[in-house]
Short mmCIF file of all heavy atoms in Angstrom, two decimals:
data_model
loop_
_atom_site.label_atom_id
_atom_site.label_comp_id
_atom_site.label_asym_id
_atom_site.label_seq_id
_atom_site.Cartn_x
_atom_site.Cartn_y
_atom_site.Cartn_z
N GLU A 74 3.99 -8.40 5.47
CA GLU A 74 4.98 -8.71 6.50
C GLU A 74 6.38 -8.50 5.91
O GLU A 74 6.70 -9.10 4.88
CB GLU A 74 4.84 -10.15 7.01
CG GLU A 74 3.47 -10.47 7.60
CD GLU A 74 3.13 -9.67 8.85
OE1 GLU A 74 4.03 -9.04 9.44
OE2 GLU A 74 1.96 -9.67 9.22
N PRO A 75 7.20 -7.65 6.52
CA PRO A 75 8.50 -7.31 5.93
C PRO A 75 9.47 -8.49 5.86
O PRO A 75 10.34 -8.50 4.99
CB PRO A 75 9.04 -6.21 6.85
CG PRO A 75 8.26 -6.33 8.10
CD PRO A 75 6.94 -6.92 7.75
N ASP A 76 9.30 -9.50 6.69
CA ASP A 76 10.16 -10.68 6.59
C ASP A 76 9.76 -11.55 5.40
O ASP A 76 10.57 -12.29 4.86
CB ASP A 76 10.15 -11.50 7.88
CG ASP A 76 8.76 -11.97 8.26
OD1 ASP A 76 7.81 -11.17 8.17
OD2 ASP A 76 8.62 -13.15 8.66
N GLN A 77 8.52 -11.44 4.96
CA GLN A 77 8.03 -12.21 3.81
C GLN A 77 8.13 -11.43 2.51
O GLN A 77 8.22 -12.01 1.44
CB GLN A 77 6.57 -12.62 4.04
CG GLN A 77 6.39 -13.52 5.22
CD GLN A 77 4.91 -13.73 5.53
OE1 GLN A 77 4.05 -13.49 4.71
NE2 GLN A 77 4.64 -14.19 6.74
N GLN A 78 8.05 -10.12 2.59
CA GLN A 78 8.06 -9.25 1.41
C GLN A 78 8.98 -8.06 1.69
O GLN A 78 8.51 -6.98 2.03
CB GLN A 78 6.64 -8.80 1.11
CG GLN A 78 6.44 -8.21 -0.24
CD GLN A 78 6.73 -9.18 -1.34
OE1 GLN A 78 7.72 -9.01 -2.02
NE2 GLN A 78 5.91 -10.17 -1.54
N PRO A 79 10.30 -8.24 1.55
CA PRO A 79 11.25 -7.17 1.86
C PRO A 79 11.04 -5.88 1.07
O PRO A 79 11.43 -4.81 1.53
CB PRO A 79 12.61 -7.79 1.54
CG PRO A 79 12.39 -9.25 1.57
CD PRO A 79 10.96 -9.47 1.16
N GLU A 80 10.41 -5.95 -0.10
CA GLU A 80 10.14 -4.73 -0.88
C GLU A 80 9.28 -3.74 -0.10
O GLU A 80 9.30 -2.54 -0.38
CB GLU A 80 9.44 -5.08 -2.19
CG GLU A 80 10.33 -5.75 -3.20
CD GLU A 80 9.58 -6.05 -4.50
OE1 GLU A 80 8.33 -6.05 -4.50
OE2 GLU A 80 10.25 -6.26 -5.51
N THR A 81 8.52 -4.24 0.87
CA THR A 81 7.69 -3.37 1.69
C THR A 81 8.54 -2.29 2.37
O THR A 81 8.15 -1.13 2.45
CB THR A 81 6.92 -4.20 2.74
OG1 THR A 81 6.05 -5.09 2.04
CG2 THR A 81 6.08 -3.32 3.65
N TRP A 82 9.73 -2.67 2.85
CA TRP A 82 10.66 -1.71 3.45
C TRP A 82 11.01 -0.61 2.45
O TRP A 82 10.97 0.57 2.78
CB TRP A 82 11.98 -2.40 3.82
CG TRP A 82 11.97 -3.25 5.02
CD1 TRP A 82 11.72 -4.59 5.05
CD2 TRP A 82 12.23 -2.87 6.36
NE1 TRP A 82 11.83 -5.05 6.34
CE2 TRP A 82 12.14 -4.01 7.15
CE3 TRP A 82 12.54 -1.64 6.97
CZ2 TRP A 82 12.35 -3.98 8.53
CZ3 TRP A 82 12.75 -1.62 8.33
CH2 TRP A 82 12.65 -2.78 9.09
N ASP A 83 11.40 -1.04 1.25
CA ASP A 83 11.86 -0.09 0.23
C ASP A 83 10.80 0.94 -0.11
O ASP A 83 11.08 2.14 -0.21
CB ASP A 83 12.29 -0.83 -1.04
CG ASP A 83 13.39 -1.84 -0.79
OD1 ASP A 83 14.23 -1.58 0.10
OD2 ASP A 83 13.42 -2.88 -1.47
N VAL A 84 9.58 0.47 -0.32
CA VAL A 84 8.51 1.39 -0.70
C VAL A 84 8.19 2.33 0.45
O VAL A 84 7.98 3.53 0.23
CB VAL A 84 7.26 0.61 -1.18
CG1 VAL A 84 6.12 1.56 -1.50
CG2 VAL A 84 7.60 -0.24 -2.41
N ALA A 85 8.16 1.83 1.68
CA ALA A 85 7.90 2.69 2.84
C ALA A 85 8.94 3.80 2.95
O ALA A 85 8.61 4.96 3.23
CB ALA A 85 7.84 1.87 4.12
N VAL A 86 10.19 3.46 2.71
CA VAL A 86 11.28 4.43 2.85
C VAL A 86 11.18 5.56 1.82
O VAL A 86 11.53 6.70 2.13
CB VAL A 86 12.64 3.72 2.78
CG1 VAL A 86 13.79 4.69 2.61
CG2 VAL A 86 12.85 2.86 4.02
N ILE A 87 10.67 5.27 0.62
CA ILE A 87 10.62 6.33 -0.40
C ILE A 87 9.40 7.24 -0.29
O ILE A 87 9.36 8.28 -0.93
CB ILE A 87 10.69 5.75 -1.83
CG1 ILE A 87 9.43 4.96 -2.16
CG2 ILE A 87 11.96 4.95 -2.04
CD1 ILE A 87 9.21 4.78 -3.63
N LEU A 88 8.43 6.88 0.53
CA LEU A 88 7.21 7.69 0.62
C LEU A 88 7.48 9.16 0.95
O LEU A 88 6.88 10.05 0.33
CB LEU A 88 6.22 7.09 1.62
CG LEU A 88 5.52 5.81 1.19
CD1 LEU A 88 4.51 5.39 2.24
CD2 LEU A 88 4.88 5.94 -0.17
N PRO A 89 8.36 9.48 1.91
CA PRO A 89 8.62 10.91 2.17
C PRO A 89 9.17 11.64 0.94
O PRO A 89 8.83 12.80 0.70
CB PRO A 89 9.65 10.89 3.30
CG PRO A 89 9.42 9.60 3.99
CD PRO A 89 9.04 8.64 2.89
N GLU A 90 9.98 10.95 0.14
CA GLU A 90 10.51 11.58 -1.09
C GLU A 90 9.40 11.82 -2.10
O GLU A 90 9.40 12.84 -2.79
CB GLU A 90 11.62 10.72 -1.69
CG GLU A 90 12.84 10.58 -0.80
CD GLU A 90 13.44 11.92 -0.40
OE1 GLU A 90 13.60 12.79 -1.29
OE2 GLU A 90 13.72 12.10 0.80
N VAL A 91 8.47 10.89 -2.20
CA VAL A 91 7.32 11.07 -3.10
C VAL A 91 6.52 12.29 -2.67
O VAL A 91 6.12 13.11 -3.49
CB VAL A 91 6.43 9.80 -3.11
CG1 VAL A 91 5.11 10.05 -3.82
CG2 VAL A 91 7.18 8.63 -3.76
N LEU A 92 6.29 12.42 -1.36
CA LEU A 92 5.53 13.57 -0.86
C LEU A 92 6.24 14.89 -1.15
O LEU A 92 5.60 15.88 -1.48
CB LEU A 92 5.27 13.43 0.63
CG LEU A 92 4.30 12.31 1.01
CD1 LEU A 92 4.17 12.22 2.53
CD2 LEU A 92 2.95 12.50 0.36
#
Side-chain angles (χ1 to χ4, degrees):
E74 301 296 346
D76 58 316
Q77 297 171 19
Q78 195 62 251
E80 288 181 342
T81 298
W82 284 92
D83 301 328
V84 177
V86 167
I87 68 160
L88 288 184
E90 296 304 314
V91 169
L92 291 178

